[in-house]
Amino acid sequence: MIIKKNINHAKYIFWISVLFIWIISTLTDRIWWNLYSNTPSWDQADYLNSALDHARALSFLGGDGASGFSSLLDKSPKIPPLASIINGALIAFAGDAPHEAAWSLSFWNGFLIFNIASWGLYLRGEKFAIFCVLISAFSPFLFHLRTDYVLELPLISAITFYLFHLGRWTDKSVGGKWIQLIIASFACASSLLIKQSSLLVVIPSLLFVFILSFKRDHKFRLQFLCLLFINLLSILPWFYHNWIMILSGTYRAVFESAAIEGDPSVFGLKSIFWYFPYLDNQFGIIIFFFGLSGIIFASLTYLRTLGSSEKLVDIFNQNNYKWTWIYFNLITSWTFTTFIPNKDERYIACTIPLIILLLALGFSKWSDWLDNYFKFKSYGLLLIPPISFLFSNSINKFATLENISRKYYPVRDIISTVKSHQTFNEKETVIVVPSTPDINQHNVSYFGRMQGGNILGRQLGQSLLHIDPVLKYSKWIILADGDQGSVSSNSIALDKAIRDSSLFKKVREFPRESQGSYSLWKRSSISLKQNEFHNRFIELANGMELGPLGIKLIFDEIEIEHMLDGHFKYQSIVRDKALSKISSDPENVESLWSLSLLKILKNRPAEADIYLRNLEILLPNNPWPSAYRTIVNIASWNPWKASLIADRAQKKNPNYLLKSLGDTSALFRGAFWRLNSAKNSVPNAIKSIDEALKPIKK
């Protein structure tokens, strides 16, 4: 009984120590956030906007909330929603100012620290776990993530949770339980629903378990199938709803960004060794030296004791399974990350928890060596991580705090000025012509929507075609004076057109850190012109019956309108008008085209199919309703129906696009014998579309 009490007391002290380390790291973070009153730039503001979107959709921050599950999924068209949902809930509790929203990062840091502590206990006991926690808490790289609003810290936390519980479940000596399987499934789904890059860890780890299942019993295989099934069910709603945006966005982020940024070829030596030089910066040179040297000494000692091939096989026996699991996942996830074309220091984040475990192993070997050979109590090694942090580049961030805290960020005052001209918190869109870290469409939207605001920022000026719509319909505009860096000639032309026109008046100037200033412009009351795009939209929707040419004209204008009106006010007006006309005349073709286009823009392909089917009946000699029906059915994962529609319409109205759509949708439903037909029809369709678009090509 006394022994049991002592064991419980030791565990109590251990977890209190872990909690204390988390509190110390959080206090360090809060010093930074409370003094570092900067404005989030592009990505950071975008992630904060996503958290606000989900908080409002779930009524955490008031508002009307999402009208349905599909409306909630609309809030995460490219990035999975889980981190934004959790961050939004924490923002609702802590506040939506940047330094208040950063409490969500402290939550994720605590989740990471307690998971890494649990993993340390599982591997080697309390002392090893404390080394793991200290390395995590004082890693310069993790400190950087805790003071920068990006998704890598939630990703690392979820990946640690996932690999630990999946490893425990697959460990034959302690695993195989159903409760472990449920936790591992939840952990896997959580990782996948935070960021797509979790696949770099999830795919190889599940492949390892799949191979392992051939040596396990039927119960283990059944559990593995349940894990796969649970995860498919978890991610399917989000992927099903947004799959087109997800695939296109991922392609742009991985391949197009790599080309734009000039990242090296994935098979070149520079790419293969890209991430190695960052390791000492990510953990601190002192931590990295002690951890790596301890691993090297331990490896040399172990290799020296290998006297036969039988002992070499013992590396992979049951007793070494825990470390085999860690080595495999570290090597595979590092390799997968290396061969992703787009490179950045934070993209190696998924491997960080595994590297922490290895570095902690090196510290443990130093501790054992000092204790065995010198009878030296090695508690002093616990001070190395905080000392290493003090000598790292992270301290330089604190050294510049005084200067940073004095820096003036005008976006707050700009939004306050716009709000002072508002009545009843009306919905406004502010056009941002320059896009800089200080002021851009993302942080204007974030500050404009804080505390229940309804101000959105949108950027225009990338094309000369933007000048006329901005002069006609925009209300609020932000311009920049002085050196703006590399700004396109089109943005300069838009800036000049606004200043030279008599349509806008300068409301106020705001100083910039560098030379020059920002200025806020408002349309004068005498030039106020009602934007009646809802009428123009109805005309554009009717142009869908022209095929590719009509579609091109539609989306060219809608793209600009969605910048001028970030709230899409026209859509409710168009919908109400169209439904009113259809109620009295169900065969009103104009209204059916309008409703079809609205549903396509709102990513409701199944609802668009209903209106397009009516158009297909009313316009039997027009092939385009059938073509659009085929496309929306492919988008809603119904290639069987899509193939039937396209093939039937092709017989009635032979058309280059219908033939290619019929072949493509047939391939999606498994009719691989139509591959040869698709090889001919798809290129011909592309060529015909190019011919149709020639009249509006520049």
Side-chain angles (χ1 to χ4, degrees):
M1 192 69 177
I2 295 175
I3 295 175
K4 186 175 181 180
K5 286 184 178 180
N6 288 338
I7 292 173
N8 291 335
H9 181 70
K11 287 184 178 180
Y12 177 78
I13 294 297
F14 169 77
W15 289 112
I16 288 293
S17 301
V18 173
L19 178 63
F20 178 74
I21 294 171
W22 174 71
I23 291 173
I24 292 296
S25 65
T26 301
L27 287 174
T28 306
D29 300 343
R30 297 320 303 173
I31 292 172
W32 169 260
W33 279 108
N34 289 331
L35 294 177
Y36 184 48
S37 57
N38 79 321
T39 295
S41 53
W42 292 285
D43 286 351
Q44 293 84 350
D46 204 17
Y47 294 136
L48 284 166
N49 275 316
S50 180
L52 283 181
D53 283 339
H54 287 82
R56 287 186 169 190
L58 294 168
S59 299
F60 295 153
L61 286 174
D64 298 331
S67 58
F69 189 55
S70 295
S71 297
L72 177 62
L73 294 175
D74 288 338
K75 308 298 181 185
S76 51
K78 299 176 185 177
I79 300 295
L82 183 60
S84 293
I85 291 172
I86 295 174
N87 291 343
L90 293 169
I91 285 173
F93 177 77
D96 55 9
H99 69 282
E100 295 170 337
W103 275 106
S104 61
L105 297 174
S106 298
F107 164 79
W108 290 111
N109 180 45
F111 189 52
L112 168 65
I113 283 177
F114 278 87
N115 276 307
I116 207 80
S118 300
W119 209 341
L121 280 177
Y122 166 65
L123 290 172
R124 290 179 64 89
E126 292 180 358
K127 191 173 184 181
F128 175 78
I130 289 295
F131 280 126
C132 294
V133 171
L134 286 171
I135 294 172
S136 300
F138 293 100
S139 161
F141 177 64
L142 291 177
F143 170 72
H144 173 71
L145 295 183
R146 300 197 312 260
T147 53
D148 194 18
Y149 209 96
V150 290
L151 288 183
E152 269 61 36
L153 187 58
L155 176 65
I156 291 175
S157 305
I159 286 296
T160 306
F161 180 54
Y162 161 67
L163 287 177
F164 168 57
H165 286 285
L166 190 67
R168 276 180 59 88
W169 167 65
T170 56
D171 187 347
K172 196 171 184 178
S173 60
V174 297
K177 301 178 178 65
W178 280 101
I179 185 64
Q180 293 173 328
L181 180 278
I182 293 171
I183 295 173
S185 301
F186 173 75
C188 184
S190 299
S191 302
L192 293 171
L193 287 172
I194 286 178
K195 200 172 183 182
Q196 291 97 316
S197 52
S198 61
L199 288 169
L200 301 174
V201 174
V202 170
I203 290 176
S205 63
L206 292 182
L207 181 61
F208 181 92
V209 178
F210 173 72
I211 296 171
L212 190 67
S213 66
F214 289 100
K215 294 187 176 181
R216 298 294 179 86
D217 56 20
H218 293 293
K219 177 186 174 184
F220 184 89
R221 295 170 194 168
L222 176 61
Q223 289 177 334
F224 181 55
L225 287 175
C226 290
L227 183 146
L228 296 178
F229 182 70
I230 291 171
N231 278 275
L232 285 175
L233 285 180
S234 300
I235 65 173
L236 186 60
W238 169 72
F239 187 78
Y240 172 84
H241 187 77
N242 295 302
W243 70 274
I244 296 176
M245 290 293 293
I246 293 167
L247 296 180
S248 60
T250 302
Y251 176 81
R252 287 195 298 272
V254 173
F255 297 100
E256 290 185 3
S257 295
I260 293 171
E261 296 167 8
D263 290 324
S265 170
V266 293
F267 296 108
L269 288 177
K270 186 177 180 181
S271 174
I272 293 172
F273 292 99
W274 179 274
Y275 291 104
F276 285 98
Y278 292 112
L279 286 174
D280 60 339
N281 291 328
Q282 288 174 328
F283 295 99
I285 189 64
I286 301 176
I287 288 178
F288 194 69
F289 169 77
F290 272 89
L292 185 61
S293 61
I295 294 171
I296 293 173
F297 292 154
S299 300
L300 293 175
T301 302
Y302 186 79
L303 290 174
R304 192 174 60 184
T305 62
L306 291 177
S308 64
S309 59
E310 288 79 11
K311 287 188 176 180
L312 184 61
V313 173
D314 288 343
I315 296 176
F316 301 100
N317 68 13
Q318 180 174 305
N319 296 328
N320 286 309
Y321 175 79
K322 302 173 184 177
W323 288 100
T324 303
W325 173 250
I326 290 170
Y327 298 145
F328 173 85
N329 283 288
L330 175 58
I331 293 170
T332 53
S333 59
W334 183 282
T335 303
F336 275 42
T337 305
T338 297
F339 286 104
I340 294 296
N342 195 15
K343 306 291 185 185
D344 190 272
E345 180 181 357
R346 60 188 172 97
Y347 294 164
I348 203 69
C350 289
T351 65
I352 292 300
L354 299 167
I355 297 174
I356 288 173
L357 295 174
L358 286 186
L359 293 176
L361 179 62
F363 272 80
S364 293
K365 293 301 182 182
W366 272 107
S367 176
D368 295 342
W369 186 65
L370 291 172
D371 188 43
N372 292 335
Y373 290 95
F374 293 96
K375 305 301 179 184
F376 175 75
K377 294 298 181 182
S378 54
Y379 294 110
L381 292 175
L382 299 176
L383 297 175
I384 290 178
I387 291 173
S388 177
F389 180 79
L390 293 175
F391 284 94
S392 69
N393 293 331
S394 299
I395 295 300
N396 295 334
K397 294 183 73 173
F398 286 97
T400 59
L401 270 178
E402 184 177 356
N403 293 332
I404 294 172
S405 62
R406 293 177 180 176
K407 185 176 178 180
Y408 174 67
Y409 295 93
V411 66
R412 291 176 182 268
D413 290 339
I414 290 175
I415 295 301
S416 296
T417 304
V418 175
K419 285 184 175 180
S420 68
H421 288 73
Q422 277 185 307
T423 55
F424 306 111
N425 195 23
E426 58 190 316
K427 295 179 178 180
E428 299 280 10
T429 301
V430 179
I431 305 301
V432 184
V433 177
S435 186
T436 66
D438 292 346
I439 293 183
N440 54 72
Q441 64 273 29
H442 300 302
N443 55 31
V444 168
S445 293
Y446 176 63
F447 282 96
R449 297 167 69 238
M450 282 171 50
Q451 299 176 351
N454 279 314
I455 299 171
L456 294 176
R458 292 293 183 264
Q459 184 186 6
L460 283 171
Q462 302 92 329
S463 168
L464 292 176
L465 296 175
H466 296 173
I467 294 177
D468 186 59
V470 168
L471 293 178
K472 284 183 178 179
Y473 303 119
S474 61
K475 184 177 179 180
W476 292 97
I477 303 173
I478 300 174
L479 302 178
D481 303 285
D483 182 22
Q484 302 175 43
S486 58
V487 178
S488 70
S489 58
N490 294 336
S491 294
I492 295 173
L494 176 58
D495 182 289
K496 186 175 186 302
I498 293 166
R499 295 177 190 275
D500 292 345
S501 75
S502 58
L503 303 173
F504 299 89
K505 62 179 181 180
K506 185 187 294 185
V507 178
R508 183 179 165 187
E509 285 193 357
F510 305 86
R512 297 173 63 189
E513 187 69 15
S514 55
Q515 291 182 349
S517 62
Y518 291 106
S519 55
L520 178 65
W521 297 69
K522 183 184 179 184
R523 181 176 293 276
S524 61
S525 57
I526 58 173
S527 68
L528 192 60
K529 185 175 182 179
Q530 186 70 27
N531 184 355
E532 296 185 347
F533 182 75
H534 53 272
N535 293 328
R536 178 63 179 147
F537 180 90
I538 295 171
E539 297 174 14
L540 291 170
N542 284 335
M544 291 177 70
E545 65 184 13
L546 301 176
L549 181 60
I551 292 293
K552 179 69 167 63
L553 293 172
I554 288 169
F555 283 95
D556 281 349
E557 292 203 33
I558 287 178
E559 180 185 20
I560 297 174
E561 176 61 23
H562 284 187
M563 295 295 104
L564 294 170
D565 174 17
H567 298 279
F568 312 148
K569 299 174 188 176
Y570 74 90
Q571 293 187 353
S572 60
I573 300 173
V574 172
R575 185 194 65 236
D576 293 343
K577 280 187 175 182
L579 290 175
S580 176
K581 288 183 179 180
I582 285 181
S583 64
S584 57
D585 180 12
E587 296 184 355
N588 188 293
V589 172
E590 182 183 76
S591 298
L592 289 171
W593 279 121
S594 296
L595 291 169
S596 299
L597 181 55
L598 275 180
K599 295 302 180 182
I600 291 171
L601 292 173
K602 292 173 72 68
N603 191 19
R604 301 293 186 271
E607 296 176 31
D609 180 60
I610 297 172
Y611 297 113
L612 290 169
R613 181 179 180 276
N614 293 335
L615 285 165
E616 195 178 33
I617 296 170
L618 293 171
L619 303 172
N621 297 323
N622 191 322
W624 298 113
S626 299
Y628 302 139
R629 280 196 74 197
T630 305
I631 293 170
V632 298
N633 276 282
I634 292 174
S636 58
W637 291 30
N638 196 345
W640 300 270
K641 185 177 179 180
S643 177
L644 178 64
I645 293 169
D647 291 341
R648 185 178 59 200
Q650 169 66 14
K651 293 177 182 178
K652 191 173 184 180
N653 295 303
N655 180 277
Y656 58 87
L657 188 57
L658 283 172
K659 176 61 175 171
S660 66
L661 288 172
D663 290 336
T664 303
S665 54
L667 289 174
F668 284 157
R669 66 175 172 82
F672 299 114
W673 54 87
R674 294 182 63 170
L675 181 60
N676 287 331
S677 178
K679 288 180 180 178
N680 293 323
S681 63
V682 172
N684 288 334
I686 294 172
K687 183 179 178 181
S688 300
I689 291 173
D690 288 339
E691 290 290 330
L693 295 180
K694 273 186 178 179
I696 58 173
K697 284 189 175 180
K698 301 298 180 186

